[in-house]
Amino acid sequence: MAQDSLSDRVLVNGTIVSATLTADGKLSWTEGFHRTLTLENEVLGFAVDANKIRIRAVIEEESRIWCGGRTGGLMRKDFVFEPLSQESRRLWCQKLREYLDSLGMFSKMLSKFICLFRFMLCRMFVFYFCEGRPKSLFIFLNPFGGKKTASKIFLDNVKPLLEDADIQFTLEETTRQLYAKDVAKGLDLSKYDGIVCVSGDGILVEVVNGLLEREDWRVAIKMPLGVIPAGTGNGMVKSLLDSVGEPCKAYNATLAIIRGHKRSLDVATILQGETKFYSVLMLAWGLVADIDIESEKYRWMGSTRIDFYALQRILCLRQYNGRVSFVPATGFEDYGEPTSYNGKSINEKNVGDPSQEQPSKARQYGYQGTDVSLENLGWRTINGPFVSVWLHNVPWGGEDTMAAPDAKFSDGYLDLILIRDCPKLDLLKLMTQLSNGGHIKSKYVQYLKVKAFILEPGTCTHDPTREGIIDSDGEVLARGKGTYLCDQKTLMAYDKLQITLDQEDILQG
């Protein structure tokens, strides 16, 4: 880090004042009142204009509303210094550049060992990037997600901040489903310090799956990923920002990326036959999946379609036959009944949709997980019927849905939320508590942490000709008979599937 401090007289707004840059990165001066900027957290970058140095910063709003709109208490602001000599200007530029550059170099040196260790546990860096400011980013923008405002969000909030921070970027708009996955599989990662998704959760999930299907996945998994909320759910970025007390806004997410903060994240592998899907957010079957996917028919209603269809589904409640098996975390061994591992058939045959072309080459060379026997673990089982089965990797499923309040980003566990039988009025009350996590206190909810999980989905109890939907990270993994758009192809069949975090995590307990 920069060791030398600098103190000199400069011209600010026509007045000569004394300004100081300390070794720990604090820039201070007196301009009618004493002001201090912290380079690491408040200064994005600087530019030289003739004899003037323009400091580009982000500070607390001096007014709650400013000409650029509301930004969650933060605003961009330039501070202009004019050194009194060319030598002074050169020295100021040198010291500012040295310190800002050191924020990247020093922290990246510290995080190198962490990256090498984390990929062995199938954990990816998300959102806050490797400790150290990125210099070059590859940005995916989904113009079709959510309210179709991603382009405006990028132009109004993201691009100006990146330019102020002198971060180079390549912008790529997605044009179809799985576009981001295909690009991520072939992207030259050596050109970039990170990948950013201006979207909802779907594009992030595509990028994760693309990186883990690469032949060089061990290198690819070290690539930090960032998310800027511009979709419908935004569960991942909500979870990340909420964990540090920040509002779920594009402005705050962009600043966190620029500042170079990081979080590691568990990645779950969903397996059925030879087909794999890598999940970072959640898996749902039953009520939550039905609401999430079937409400698409009411997309014209906007975000209110979720509440509308949730009420409809509760009034006409479905229950599904089936069974779940799991390896409980320490402290949750009393849930369910003892059983043996029953996932052998999942691995031995390909039970996926036979009409689907299996991406064998990508699967061969991509991440496969460690070869550890699951038979020796302490499995438990719970039989249905079920109203809802919900498995979560992070606390928030959407900006207004705290599905798993006890979930952690990289604890090696998934949080399982089960509802087996619940009166409709109690279920309605329970659903209204999703915004604060209060639903897990209901006597009708079983909430536990698991290390591995097997789902065996069945038919509706009231109509044996109708099956359900399995949804992961907002995408349909499987559609059973009689479901909404059941004629559409899916990645997996409506059949038994297995979910694990990296098996090295499982053994660590």
Side-chain angles (χ1 to χ4, degrees), residues 247-449:
C248 186
K249 295 181 180 292
Y251 207 84
N252 299 79
T254 306
L255 286 174
I257 290 170
I258 290 170
R259 290 166 180 164
H261 303 157
K262 71 157 179 86
R263 277 284 177 118
S264 57
L265 175 72
D266 291 328
V267 179
T269 301
I270 303 175
L271 175 68
Q272 188 183 77
E274 296 178 359
T275 305
K276 291 186 180 70
F277 180 81
Y278 303 106
S279 169
V280 296
L281 192 67
M282 65 89 177
L283 179 135
W285 171 59
L287 179 63
V288 173
D290 292 347
I291 294 171
D292 190 19
I293 303 304
E294 292 177 358
S295 66
E296 289 289 324
K297 67 182 79 171
Y298 301 108
R299 181 166 280 275
W300 56 270
M301 297 178 65
S303 59
T304 58
R305 76 181 194 274
I306 300 293
D307 293 335
F308 169 78
Y309 196 69
L311 179 59
Q312 186 175 330
R313 279 272 51 81
I314 291 172
L315 294 177
C316 303
L317 190 61
R318 302 172 189 155
Q319 284 184 290
Y320 293 92
N321 296 307
R323 181 167 75 151
V324 299
S325 303
F326 51 89
V327 178
T330 302
F332 298 92
E333 297 90 347
D334 292 337
Y335 285 86
E337 300 296 329
T339 189
S340 59
Y341 174 66
N342 64 345
K344 189 174 182 181
S345 61
I346 298 174
N347 300 289
E348 289 185 342
K349 64 180 181 178
N350 183 5
V351 295
D353 188 336
S355 65
Q356 295 285 57
E357 180 182 352
Q358 297 301 317
S360 57
K361 184 174 181 181
R363 301 304 183 188
Q364 277 183 341
Y365 287 112
Y367 169 70
Q368 299 296 317
T370 53
D371 187 16
V372 175
S373 174
L374 295 175
E375 286 89 343
N376 299 325
L377 301 176
W379 287 86
R380 312 281 292 184
T381 189
I382 297 175
N383 290 308
F386 297 98
V387 171
S388 178
V389 174
W390 210 358
L391 202 63
H392 249 267
N393 192 32
V394 296
W396 293 85
E399 289 189 52
D400 301 317
T401 305
M402 185 187 277
D406 295 338
K408 302 292 186 289
F409 292 100
S410 56
D411 62 353
Y413 303 114
L414 296 167
D415 286 38
L416 176 60
I417 307 105
L418 297 176
I419 303 176
R420 297 170 71 190
D421 189 21
C422 184
K424 293 179 181 178
L425 287 178
D426 291 279
L427 184 57
L428 186 62
K429 179 183 178 181
L430 186 153
M431 295 297 283
T432 63
Q433 296 175 323
L434 283 171
S435 61
N436 59 20
H439 61 290
I440 68 169
K441 299 176 182 178
S442 169
K443 64 181 180 180
Y444 299 106
V445 174
Q446 291 178 288
Y447 185 93
L448 60 151
K449 288 182 176 287

Side-chain angles (χ1 to χ4, degrees), residues 87-98:
E87 176 61 21
S88 177
R89 184 188 63 187
R90 184 195 66 78
L91 198 56
W92 274 106
C93 291
Q94 175 186 328
K95 294 300 182 183
L96 287 168
R97 177 54 57 202
E98 283 179 358

